Amino acid sequence: MLIGAAMICLLGVADDLWDLDWMLKLAGQLLISVFVAWGGVQIIFLPFGSLVTASPSISMAITAFLIVASINAVNFVDGLDGLAAGIVAIGGIAFAVYSYVIARSTPSYASMATLLDVALVGICVGFLLHNWHPAKLFMGDSGSMLLGYMITCASIIMTGHLDPASVHTSLYLPAFMPILLPILVLFLPVLDMCLAIIRRLSKGQSPMHPDRMHLHHRMLRIGHSVQGAVLILWGWAALISFGSIMILFFRWQYVAIGMIIAAVILTILTLSPYLMRRWLELQKEEDPGVRNARHSRKSQ
């Protein structure tokens, strides 16, 4: 995994220096992901009705796909100061909690996944001190690709190798957690990446063609400041990441109610600049002085 991390970082450095063609960069990511899967970082058990052992070829293919998707998801969302580092830190905290709970069911509490996630959170928080707006330091592709790679490898190390016979069922619900968890902790970047790919392909463009239609760009367009947009997007990331983990500790009904309340609050905060503009416009329209002035102009 560390060899793959070094290779991903070098690929990102090359892209930052020479702006590699998107197909070449994607091919490099895929080769590194296959190498890492071949080295043992694989999703072994799959939930097809019940947990079953995947064949080596299927296991390597699914693992490589998840790693490549996560790498590009974090890379796509790295568009505002502090956004990518904060989202990965939030996902790392959520998964560190999950991996620690799983590790407690084993004779030894030692967990490589927990260690990697805690280290990753520390890296992101330390970087945020220099990357918060206005940023003094930028991670570039070498940093964003490395973050996506590391958090996904950590999740696969834990959930991909779980033996369903040795783990209590209540700790392993839902059964799709090995595949879903890397997506859930990076839900916002994955959503942004999917929307970007669909948008660009529908226009006949390359999936990697840059544009200013990402979720964070839309937040700025409706009136949020950079800091406000980042904090609200962090909130959405935390809602999905921690909501998926809270099922381990509370009844799903309580978790669902809490998530709905949080989603309503975040929706109001997200749309607040637009709602404020609309309210001011309605106030102006209802103002008698403004209405009389309009009538007088029309009569003239």
Side-chain angles (χ1 to χ4, degrees):
M1 193 193 71
L2 292 177
I3 294 173
M7 295 166 68
I8 280 291
C9 189
L10 289 175
L11 178 64
V13 170
D15 186 48
D16 288 331
L17 292 175
W18 300 299
D19 193 18
L20 301 178
D21 180 74
W22 73 271
M23 292 188 68
L24 180 61
K25 184 167 69 171
L26 188 62
Q29 295 170 354
L30 187 58
L31 287 174
I32 295 169
S33 301
V34 170
F35 166 77
V36 173
W38 173 76
V41 181
Q42 295 183 18
I43 292 178
I44 304 298
F45 296 102
L46 296 174
F48 295 147
S50 61
L51 292 173
V52 297
T53 303
S55 67
S57 57
I58 294 176
S59 176
M60 289 181 63
I62 294 176
T63 302
F65 171 78
L66 284 176
I67 293 175
V68 171
S70 299
I71 287 171
N72 286 288
V74 177
N75 190 26
F76 277 30
V77 84
D78 182 29
L80 295 179
D81 296 341
L83 182 57
I87 287 177
V88 172
I90 290 168
I93 294 171
F95 184 73
V97 172
Y98 177 77
S99 58
Y100 178 72
V101 171
I102 292 294
R104 288 179 61 185
S105 65
T106 62
S108 171
Y109 277 31
S111 169
M112 176 65 73
T114 306
L115 176 64
L116 288 172
D117 277 306
V118 171
L120 187 62
V121 171
I123 291 168
C124 292
V125 173
F127 187 77
L128 275 172
L129 298 177
H130 307 280
N131 190 235
W132 185 248
H133 185 78
K136 305 178 184 66
L137 198 63
F138 302 93
M139 66 175 67
D141 279 10
S142 56
S144 60
M145 288 167 56
L146 179 63
L147 292 182
Y149 168 85
M150 290 293 289
I151 193 171
T152 305
C153 284
S155 69
I156 291 173
I157 285 174
M158 172 57 72
T159 60
H161 289 74
L162 282 176
D163 182 0
S166 64
V167 179
H168 194 274
T169 307
S170 64
L171 295 180
Y172 202 68
L173 294 176
F176 283 90
M177 193 64 83
I179 296 178
L180 289 180
L181 196 62
I183 300 173
L184 288 172
V185 298
L186 294 175
F187 176 80
L188 203 65
V190 170
L191 174 64
D192 188 46
M193 178 186 68
C194 293
L195 292 175
I197 291 175
I198 294 172
R199 181 174 63 248
R200 292 163 186 176
L201 290 178
S202 64
K203 296 179 180 178
Q205 298 173 335
S206 158
M208 302 294 182
H209 182 78
D211 60 26
R212 298 189 64 83
M213 293 294 291
H214 290 285
L215 295 176
H216 47 273
H217 292 139
R218 299 184 187 211
M219 294 284 286
L220 297 179
R221 196 172 297 121
I222 65 176
H224 287 285
S225 64
V226 173
Q227 296 97 324
V230 169
L231 289 173
I232 291 173
L233 291 173
W234 283 3
W236 283 109
L239 173 64
I240 302 299
S241 298
F242 291 114
S244 60
I245 300 301
M246 287 299 104
I247 299 176
L248 296 175
F249 306 101
F250 306 101
R251 292 183 178 180
W252 70 267
Q253 294 94 334
Y254 298 154
V255 175
I257 292 172
M259 290 183 69
I260 291 171
I261 294 173
V264 171
I265 295 172
L266 285 170
T267 300
I268 294 172
L269 291 174
T270 301
L271 299 176
S272 57
Y274 171 77
L275 296 175
M276 184 62 68
R277 282 200 308 270
R278 288 293 302 158
W279 184 77
L280 291 174
E281 290 174 0
L282 292 174
Q283 287 294 107
K284 289 180 180 179
E285 291 177 0
E286 294 175 0
D287 188 351
V290 175
R291 191 162 54 247
N292 293 336
R294 288 179 180 173
H295 287 311
S296 61
R297 283 197 301 269
K298 287 181 181 179
S299 60
Q300 291 175 1

